[in-house]
Amino acid sequence: MASPPVSQPEGMLPPRSEVGVTGWLHANLFSNWFNSVLTLVSAALLVTGLWFGLKWIFLAADWTVISELGGRFLLGRYNTEAACEGQNCFWRPQAALIMVSVLLGAAWGLRGNRVARAVAWLVAGVSAAFAFLPYNLATMGLDVRILLLLNLPAVPLGWALAKYTPLGTGTRVTILGVAIFFITLILLRGLPGLPFLQPVSVVYWGGLSLNLILAVGGITLSLPIGIALALGRRSNLPVVKVLCVFFIEVFRGVPLITLLFMSQTLVPLAFPEDMPQNSLFRAAVVITLFSSAYMAENIRGGLQALHPGQAEAARALGLPGWQTTMLISLPQAIRNVIPAIVGQFIGLFKDTSLVYIIGMLDVVAIGRSFIQSNPEYLPSARELFVFLAAVFWIFTYGMSYISGKVEDYMGVGRR
């Protein structure tokens, strides 16, 4: 017969090696001799990398190429004399940015959590910080700085709209986001006949704004298209199933670069001849369809992972097939594959840099063309591409971080 456990005397504290910082270090980094050696070697490599990396960043690197490019990183050639006569189009992307700050503030007021608040203030704060760049007024005028600073009051404005107006519902905030996206496109493109909205050809669109427009459009459209394709591939209708399988396998089997090249000739065939088209439209269509094919497989994997007993229980309750799919199977499938969906979104955002092969100057192509056309900055190419890598990392890590918070909130991976 086993003896009863010995009770710990009242008031006796646990050993210091098991609690606090010391306990965490012992449990995670120095639990045995192998982990201790691995921790010390990793720490030595990390310290060495930080020493030489920070020394190069702050002492040896020449970052003048970044300040020389300036706003071209964000807008490309949008506000040049060739694109916008008089160069008075600078306010359009900044007005769109203010609307985005309002939208993020509304999302914060709707959700009310720390993540939404942090994202809203981070975007507004970074945007406002650009107003204090050490440029003279000839390079960055006072009107530009004021528009950048307006992002700060735009966040509480959006929060108040979601809290104290009928706008404060998920559906209406979503509709507001879609409306802001299309208003942004109208602002950037312009409207004929309006002197303050003179048309600007998409040939002059570029920089980070081009990457964001393609990414937001692709993310917004690829998810519903991917869901439709996934459901079609599982359909009992042979024609629908074959068409969906054909679409998915073709787009998953051809590199995106090849599809972008083909878009110059194939995409116009799918639309009337008199329909106006441009390189931005073609790139958006190809990137969206390419991402939709991969999204369909992610959603199909989530649907197949569900236990068939749930659909059987729904049918036993008398629910028709479409209600079983839309109300029971599909929400659980999307919840289970959130990491895969966000991974696809991150890949889509990075793939937008491939549009340079069809003549569009995204943020990477802007930097590369500047280096190539200004040989005196060739020694600074390393600094330029380190900066571009940091820009992409910030956006992709932000998406991953928000995804992690959503997964924790929805209990992904937990019963």
Side-chain angles (χ1 to χ4, degrees):
M1 182 176 180
S3 59
V6 179
S7 60
Q8 185 176 359
E10 185 177 356
M12 182 177 292
L13 298 176
R16 291 184 178 180
S17 60
E18 297 181 4
V19 296
V21 176
T22 304
W24 184 91
L25 291 173
H26 181 269
N28 295 277
L29 301 179
F30 300 98
S31 57
N32 53 55
W33 70 269
F34 179 77
N35 286 345
S36 300
V37 172
L38 188 62
T39 298
L40 294 176
V41 172
S42 301
L45 293 175
L46 180 62
V47 170
T48 303
L50 286 176
W51 170 257
F52 287 102
L54 294 177
K55 184 179 179 181
W56 176 78
I57 290 174
F58 291 105
L59 299 178
D62 182 10
W63 300 102
T64 55
V65 63
I66 308 302
S67 59
E68 183 67 24
L69 276 165
R72 280 175 284 184
F73 269 127
L74 301 176
L75 302 177
R77 299 176 295 166
Y78 184 82
N79 198 44
T80 59
E81 184 66 29
C84 179
E85 186 178 354
Q87 298 186 22
N88 58 353
C89 299
F90 66 91
W91 63 271
R92 300 188 198 176
Q94 297 199 57
L97 183 59
I98 293 173
M99 290 190 293
V100 170
S101 297
V102 172
L103 178 64
L104 293 176
W108 169 32
L110 180 66
R111 301 300 305 171
N113 56 28
R114 291 181 297 177
V115 176
R117 180 184 63 187
V119 171
W121 282 114
L122 178 63
V123 172
V126 171
S127 302
F130 281 109
F132 299 99
L133 290 175
Y135 292 127
N136 55 41
L137 292 179
T139 304
M140 178 185 285
L142 185 61
D143 44 6
V144 175
R145 300 176 190 271
I146 292 175
L147 287 173
L148 289 171
L149 291 173
L150 286 178
N151 285 277
L152 292 176
V155 172
L157 173 62
W159 181 87
L161 289 175
K163 279 289 187 181
Y164 304 111
T165 67
L167 183 65
T169 64
T171 301
R172 292 175 180 175
V173 170
T174 302
I175 294 174
L176 175 64
V178 175
I180 287 176
F181 179 75
F182 284 105
I183 291 173
T184 299
L185 293 180
I186 294 173
L187 279 175
L188 295 179
R189 187 68 175 91
L191 292 174
L194 296 179
F196 60 92
L197 280 181
Q198 57 177 304
V200 177
S201 174
V202 296
V203 174
Y204 298 104
W205 294 21
L208 186 61
S209 61
L210 177 63
N211 296 87
L212 292 176
I213 288 173
L214 291 172
V216 171
I219 289 171
T220 304
L221 296 175
S222 65
L223 182 58
I225 294 175
I227 291 174
L229 289 171
L231 296 177
R233 185 162 187 167
R234 291 167 54 90
S235 174
N236 295 325
L237 300 175
V239 176
V240 174
K241 183 173 183 178
V242 169
L243 290 177
C244 291
V245 170
F246 177 78
F247 178 91
I248 292 171
E249 297 303 329
V250 167
F251 275 86
R252 291 178 71 231
V254 180
L256 179 57
I257 292 180
T258 304
L259 293 173
L260 287 171
F261 274 123
M262 295 169 61
S263 69
Q264 300 300 309
T265 56
L266 292 184
V267 171
L269 298 178
F271 297 92
E273 294 183 359
D274 56 348
M275 182 175 180
Q277 299 174 29
N278 50 59
S279 55
L280 176 65
F281 176 77
R282 293 175 182 140
V285 170
V286 169
I287 291 175
T288 300
L289 296 180
F290 181 81
S291 181
S292 299
Y294 284 89
M295 188 64 63
E297 292 298 275
N298 292 333
I299 300 298
R300 186 170 69 92
L303 290 170
Q304 290 183 337
L306 297 178
H307 195 281
Q310 299 198 37
E312 295 172 359
R315 287 194 295 268
L317 293 174
L319 292 179
W322 70 271
Q323 286 187 344
T324 301
T325 299
M326 301 302 296
L327 301 179
I328 296 178
S329 300
L330 191 58
Q332 295 184 78
I334 295 176
R335 170 183 173 272
N336 291 337
V337 295
I338 286 178
I341 291 175
V342 175
Q344 180 61 33
F345 289 163
I346 291 175
L348 186 152
F349 175 68
K350 293 187 292 186
D351 286 343
T352 58
S353 62
L354 296 176
V355 297
Y356 79 92
I357 65 174
I358 58 174
M360 304 186 71
L361 297 179
D362 72 305
V363 64
V364 178
I366 283 287
R368 187 177 59 180
S369 64
F370 179 80
I371 289 290
Q372 293 174 347
S373 58
N374 296 274
E376 65 272 19
Y377 288 102
L378 281 175
S380 301
R382 179 169 48 185
E383 288 83 348
L384 172 65
F385 289 107
V386 167
F387 175 79
L388 292 175
V391 170
F392 276 90
W393 180 83
I394 290 172
F395 278 92
T396 55
Y397 178 77
M399 296 169 67
S400 179
Y401 177 79
I402 295 174
S403 169
K405 293 299 181 180
V406 172
E407 291 172 30
D408 292 339
Y409 176 78
M410 300 186 68
V412 176
R414 298 195 301 268
R415 293 288 183 180

